[in-house]
Amino acid sequence: MQVYLVGGAVRDKLLGYPYHERDWVVVGATPEAMLAQGFTPVGKDFPVFLHPNTKEEYALARTERKTAPGYTGFAFHASPDVSLEDDLIRRDLTINAIAEDEQGRLFDPFNGAQDIRDKKLRHVSDAFSEDPVRILRTARFAARYHHLGFTVAESTMALMHAMVEDGEADHLVAERAWKEMSRALGERNPEVFFTLLKTCGALAKILPELNRLFGVPQPPEHHPEIDTGEHSLMVLQQACRLSTDTCVRFAALVHDLGKGETPPDKWPRHINHEQLGLPLIKALCKRLAVPNDCRDLALLAAQFHTHVHRAFELRPATVLKLLKQTDALRRPERFAQLLLTCEADSRGRTGFEARDYPQPGYLHRALELCQTVDVKALVAKGYQGAELGAAIDAERLQKLDALKQQTDKERQA
């Protein structure tokens, strides 16, 4: 029995990139032999075991055979006669098909180390085309290592495009699509993920609502970049500079989906795009099984980003209505996420990247003032029921009116 470190740990060690998980492949063993050494079985489709002490995953070397379309259409074979090279050739990219033995020696039959030096993401074999998830994984690695200069090999890009043309991408499982997308959103350059998917045609299959934004113009005086799709990716870039929160980044990406509903004869204006985007976001999130917290923030961003941008123009009563509609009084942390998303939207425009955006400070102050109303004192005065609510709002409006007057004076000075 021989044990090898494989996959991401070897890849990132060669890159000098931080890694936190290690995966192992075992050659020449049987499930019975693993159990005899105290390993715990966890694999459902093929033999994977947890180490009795480290709890790291150890998989028996295996081969796979395509039996049906999509991610799940594979039959696996694991036995002591499966070689290390047999196991590695089924992997997606050459940089992920490198093994290291217990003495630190590399086994690299597909020149993954050279591709690391050349900063290339290249498929191991034509079997790459059998699994549509590999399109998403390649795009995610492109996003992850973009800042290091990595690009996708032309042959691999051509293969990904052919997979889309052949309909293989139509069989992507929604949960896997969101899993890869959410991991990409956590990378330094997630916009590369979506750009790559658009280039190979997969974006139209996975996120048609986003794909249709490309080529849709916006008013150049407000959006010098003009193209709505490009704006969406620029907003995502800015969100990454402001927050590591996946939900903030997702909301930034999809906040303008409603602009894809504007009839071409109404371009470049997009009247009511805020409301038009809501059913699109709901459908997208349902289809991809997006977590509720990300869905809810995206809906708020789509519906209220224009209100936030116009914060200084809003009457105190409208500011209070905004705080109530966004549930800011009960969910101040989500309101803070919304304001970050709106700031990313404002900065995600050509020439606006470093422009001041004071609206969040104003609205945070408005929320703080509303939270200072002494409800117990009003109850002690005899207010209750609807009268109590009206009294609370009256005091909030007084505070918001004073804030607006003071802010207007400061902005005019």
Side-chain angles (χ1 to χ4, degrees):
M1 183 173 77
Q2 295 173 298
V3 177
Y4 298 88
L5 182 66
V6 294
V10 180
R11 176 195 69 229
D12 287 342
K13 185 187 294 188
L14 293 174
L15 272 169
Y17 203 82
Y19 62 93
H20 307 288
E21 295 182 358
R22 299 191 301 174
D23 293 311
W24 306 84
V25 67
V26 183
V27 178
T30 63
E32 293 75 18
M34 300 296 287
L35 293 173
Q37 295 190 41
F39 284 80
T40 304
V42 292
K44 294 181 180 179
D45 300 318
F46 44 80
V48 179
F49 302 83
L50 296 183
H51 190 280
N53 299 321
T54 67
K55 305 304 179 184
E56 293 176 333
E57 289 193 355
Y58 285 66
L60 297 188
R62 64 187 185 272
T63 60
E64 61 187 32
R65 177 173 53 86
K66 185 73 168 175
T67 58
Y71 166 69
T72 58
F74 289 92
F76 298 94
H77 170 69
S79 70
D81 62 353
V82 176
S83 70
L84 179 59
E85 184 168 346
D86 290 336
D87 184 273
L88 294 178
I89 198 172
R90 66 175 179 78
R91 298 175 184 267
D92 49 9
L93 302 173
T94 60
I95 66 170
N96 296 327
I98 309 171
E100 180 182 286
D101 68 16
E102 294 171 299
Q103 286 73 45
R105 294 173 299 201
L106 294 182
F107 185 77
D108 183 20
F110 307 107
N111 299 313
Q114 184 60 51
D115 280 337
I116 287 176
R117 290 190 289 270
D118 294 339
K119 303 185 187 304
K120 282 295 178 186
L121 301 174
R122 190 188 315 277
H123 61 285
V124 174
S125 72
D126 288 343
F128 179 100
S129 64
E130 296 176 350
D131 184 355
V133 173
R134 289 176 172 177
I135 296 175
L136 301 178
R137 281 175 54 82
T138 301
R140 176 166 62 83
F141 284 121
R144 184 180 192 188
Y145 298 125
H146 174 76
H147 68 287
L148 298 179
F150 273 76
T151 58
V152 179
E154 290 184 9
S155 59
T156 303
M157 183 62 75
L159 187 57
M160 292 164 61
H161 187 270
M163 291 170 67
V164 174
E165 290 291 309
D166 292 342
E168 187 66 31
D170 298 341
H171 300 286
L172 276 165
V173 177
E175 288 80 3
R176 280 308 305 266
W178 170 250
K179 180 180 179 180
E180 294 298 329
M181 187 187 308
S182 62
R183 293 179 71 180
L185 286 169
E187 301 293 357
R188 189 179 303 194
N189 294 99
E191 74 282 357
V192 174
F193 175 85
F194 300 98
T195 299
L196 195 67
L197 293 183
K198 183 178 184 302
T199 301
C200 73
L203 191 65
K205 304 289 186 179
I206 302 164
L207 287 176
E209 302 90 346
L210 178 63
N211 188 70
R212 69 188 300 193
L213 296 183
F214 290 90
V216 174
Q218 302 166 108
E221 63 271 24
H222 301 300
H223 289 275
E225 72 284 352
I226 299 178
D227 187 278
T228 307
E230 294 300 328
H231 166 62
S232 298
L233 296 185
M234 293 173 71
V235 176
L236 176 57
Q237 286 178 312
Q238 292 300 319
C240 292
R241 293 179 178 141
L242 295 169
S243 174
T244 59
D245 190 321
T246 297
C247 290
V248 170
R249 296 181 177 194
F250 175 70
L253 178 70
V254 302
H255 79 284
D256 263 352
L257 291 187
K259 291 180 178 178
E261 296 289 284
T262 305
D265 63 340
K266 302 296 184 182
W267 291 349
R269 299 183 67 200
H270 297 280
I271 299 172
N272 201 36
H273 75 277
E274 300 89 348
Q275 293 296 324
L276 291 173
L278 300 182
L280 298 177
I281 292 172
K282 289 177 182 177
L284 182 160
C285 292
K286 183 177 181 180
R287 186 177 72 247
L288 297 184
V290 175
N292 291 344
D293 55 346
C294 290
R295 177 202 63 197
D296 293 346
L297 180 61
L299 290 170
L300 289 177
Q303 185 172 1
F304 295 109
H305 65 274
T306 304
H307 286 72
V308 174
H309 295 333
R310 297 178 53 242
F312 296 114
E313 304 169 32
L314 301 180
R315 295 179 294 110
T318 308
V319 171
L320 180 57
K321 183 179 179 182
L322 173 65
L323 295 177
K324 287 185 173 183
Q325 288 180 315
T326 58
D327 205 16
L329 292 156
R330 293 194 312 122
R331 299 283 303 276
E333 72 292 338
R334 190 176 67 184
F335 188 62
Q337 291 176 305
L338 171 62
L339 296 182
L340 281 173
T341 306
C342 294
E343 182 173 354
D345 180 32
S346 178
R347 296 183 185 279
R349 298 177 289 165
T350 300
F352 287 75
E353 295 86 351
R355 189 166 296 191
D356 190 30
Y357 188 72
Q359 287 88 332
Y362 176 69
L363 291 174
H364 275 305
R365 181 58 182 152
L367 176 58
E368 290 171 356
L369 288 172
C370 288
Q371 291 171 324
T372 63
V373 173
D374 191 343
V375 178
K376 290 183 179 179
L378 293 174
V379 172
K381 291 180 179 180
Y383 289 105
Q384 56 183 318
E387 289 185 344
L388 176 60
I392 292 172
D393 281 350
E395 289 207 13
R396 287 169 174 167
L397 285 173
Q398 282 187 336
K399 295 175 182 291
L400 293 176
D401 185 63
L403 173 64
K404 180 166 177 55
Q405 291 185 39
Q406 176 188 353
T407 303
D408 286 347
K409 288 180 182 179
E410 293 173 352
R411 287 173 59 82
Q412 292 170 7

